[in-house]
Amino acid sequence: EAGVTQFPSHSVIEKGQTVTLRCDPISGHDNLYWYRRVMGKEIKFLLHFVKESKQDESGMPNNRFLAERTGGTYSTLKVQPAELEDSGVYFCASSPRQGRETQYFGPGTRLLVL
Amino acid sequence: GNSVTQMEGPVTLSEEAFLTINCTYTATGYPSLFWYVQYPGEGLQLLLKATKADDKGSNKGFEATYRKETTSFHLEKGSVQVSDSAVYFCALSGTGGTSYGKLTFGQGTILTVHP
């Protein structure tokens, strides 16, 4: 069974540009989460999808971030326009059910905004 | 809100030494507790978990016990190997309200094991 995959693995962009990150969860997992780790700090929750619906987006930092999950399969996280403080590692995770279930993480996308 | 505090690193040990990484938490209700590990160049992997008080999670020689009275979930291993060098994250899963399902992480502890 394939794990959670993320694309790209690395992205270097200039301030003001747009970047779109993609996450493919484990097949059949209804729950999809986005997290971010900035500059060696703790990993922080961004948002949670159940199928195609946003269950909780309380961690999204501002309206420059837009997440979608069309058809309840893969998800994209767009940052537009990117700022320097958006640099970090963006992780995606999925789980079959919500709550105490183990979340399976992807390898992350390393974003550097110059 | 929920929070997790981890022992600050980095931690440097010799092979076969005993390892303890402290983790304490603040949460409402009865969260599930996790240790995730990130090996160099890889993503986060679940190392072990515990879902209720006094449960002991174990995997690959690592252990952690869910202590509700001290709100702790310390990670231990009796004899570390060079291959254990990684970043270790303690995390909890909220049980209700807006925190339900989402993970709250500690800041991570870098472990380096020398031969």
Coordinates of all heavy atoms in Angstrom, one line a residue, chain B residues 37 39 45 47 58-62 77 84:
Chain B
V37 N 8.9 10.0 15.0 CA 10.4 10.1 14.8 C 10.6 10.5 13.3 O 9.9 10.1 12.4 CB 11.1 8.8 15.1 CG1 10.6 7.6 14.3 CG2 12.6 8.9 14.9
Y39 N 13.7 10.5 10.8 CA 15.1 10.1 10.4 C 15.6 11.1 9.3 O 14.8 11.7 8.6 CB 15.2 8.7 9.9 CG 14.8 7.7 11.0 CD1 13.5 7.0 11.0 CD2 15.6 7.4 12.1 CE1 13.2 6.1 11.9 CE2 15.3 6.5 13.0 CZ 14.0 5.9 13.0 OH 13.7 5.0 14.0
Q45 N 7.4 9.4 11.2 CA 6.9 8.1 11.3 C 6.4 7.9 12.7 O 7.1 8.4 13.7 CB 8.0 7.0 11.1 CG 8.6 7.1 9.7 CD 9.8 6.1 9.6 OE1 9.8 5.1 10.4 NE2 10.7 6.3 8.7
L47 N 6.3 6.3 16.1 CA 7.1 5.3 16.8 C 6.3 4.5 17.8 O 6.4 3.3 17.8 CB 8.2 6.1 17.6 CG 9.2 5.4 18.4 CD1 10.0 4.4 17.5 CD2 10.2 6.3 19.1
S58 N 5.1 0.7 23.0 CA 6.5 0.2 22.8 C 6.7 -0.1 21.4 O 5.8 -0.6 20.7 CB 6.8 -1.0 23.7 OG 5.9 -2.0 23.4
N59 N 7.9 0.1 20.9 CA 8.3 -0.3 19.5 C 9.8 -0.1 19.4 O 10.4 0.9 19.9 CB 7.6 0.7 18.5 CG 7.8 0.3 17.1 OD1 8.1 -0.9 16.8 ND2 7.7 1.3 16.2
K60 N 10.5 -1.0 18.7 CA 11.9 -0.9 18.4 C 12.7 -0.7 19.6 O 13.8 -0.1 19.6 CB 12.2 0.2 17.4 CG 11.5 0.0 16.0 CD 11.8 1.2 15.1 CE 11.1 1.0 13.8 NZ 11.4 2.1 12.9
G61 N 12.3 -1.2 20.8 CA 13.1 -1.1 22.0 C 12.8 0.2 22.7 O 13.2 0.4 23.9
F62 N 12.0 1.1 22.2 CA 11.5 2.3 22.8 C 10.3 2.0 23.6 O 9.4 1.2 23.2 CB 11.3 3.4 21.8 CG 12.5 4.0 21.1 CD1 12.9 3.4 19.9 CD2 13.1 5.1 21.6 CE1 14.1 3.9 19.3 CE2 14.3 5.6 21.0 CZ 14.7 5.0 19.8
K77 N 14.8 4.4 26.1 CA 15.3 3.2 25.5 C 16.6 2.8 26.3 O 17.4 3.6 26.6 CB 15.7 3.5 24.0 CG 16.1 2.2 23.3 CD 16.4 2.4 21.8 CE 16.7 1.1 21.1 NZ 17.0 1.2 19.7
D84 N 19.5 5.1 15.7 CA 18.5 5.8 16.4 C 18.6 7.3 16.3 O 17.7 8.1 16.7 CB 18.4 5.5 17.9 CG 18.0 4.0 18.1 OD1 17.2 3.5 17.3 OD2 18.6 3.4 19.1

